[in-house]
Amino acid sequence: MKFLLIEDNQELANAIGSRMRLDGHVVDHAENLEDASEFVATGDYDLILLDIMLPDGDGREFLKRHRASDLDTPVIVLTARSQVSDRIGSLDLGADDYMTKPFDHAELEARCRAILRRRTKNTKTTIELGGVIFDPVAGRLKVAGTLVNLRNRELRLLEIFMNAPGQVFSKSKLSDRLFSYDDDVSENAIEVYIGRLRKRLSASDLGITTLRGIGYRLDQNE
């Protein structure tokens, strides 16, 4: 998954980003609202972690604009404010959850997983399709009953496809989902990961179809 972290405390941002990247997620970090708006305008995110008190304004104004633009990206508000009225205000503006600093990072990760499951309308952690059992949370893949090891980006690429079988993803769309803004990505990076994933799925009934000039699609063989 790809997250946008909007947080001006560099130490906290580094801690959150490191934990999320260890789980295989891609994290873009904005230290202020101006940068956050640019990220949202040019990127596609699965979840936004939003601080309230930022150098150039109130994060709730960002949240208000975000929802007014009909963007449905889930948002978890992170703030030192603990008053009930603050929590209610953020939730009424469209926040999906609210965590008061300091918080436990394991709890934040659990809340992220819960929100993402609700978003995909999938209360189970595993996805089963075409002889494949995939658990993106645990990072486990079984193909024809055999456990297959995946590297982080292979895992997240498979997650994208497994959550939307039959949907076409362009190379630029996949690149945007797999890499952060600061990553130095070669032109053939997506082709390399697609090739690796095809090998991992070779014993299953699933295959990744290349639609030349358009993109890639996960298909189940007849």
Side-chain angles (χ1 to χ4, degrees), residues 207-218:
I208 300 175
T209 302
T210 299
L211 303 172
R212 298 204 175 277
I214 301 175
Y216 302 93
R217 182 183 66 213
L218 181 69

Side-chain angles (χ1 to χ4, degrees), residues 1-5 16-17 19-20 23 25-27 46-50 74-78 96-99 103-120 122 137 156 159:
M1 295 289 181
K2 188 171 185 179
F3 296 171
L4 175 60
L5 172 60
I16 294 173
R19 290 286 296 251
M20 295 301 178
D23 286 338
H25 300 297
V26 175
V27 181
D46 297 292
L47 182 67
I48 296 174
L49 302 174
L50 173 65
V75 176
I76 298 179
V77 168
L78 310 175
D96 296 86
D97 205 347
Y98 187 107
M99 293 196 70
F103 50 79
D104 184 90
H105 288 275
E107 182 182 357
L108 174 60
E109 292 169 357
R111 292 193 184 209
C112 290
R113 291 194 296 270
I115 286 175
L116 293 170
R117 284 199 301 271
R118 290 199 297 270
R119 189 187 188 200
T120 58
N122 181 14
V137 175
R156 295 308 164 196
E159 184 178 14

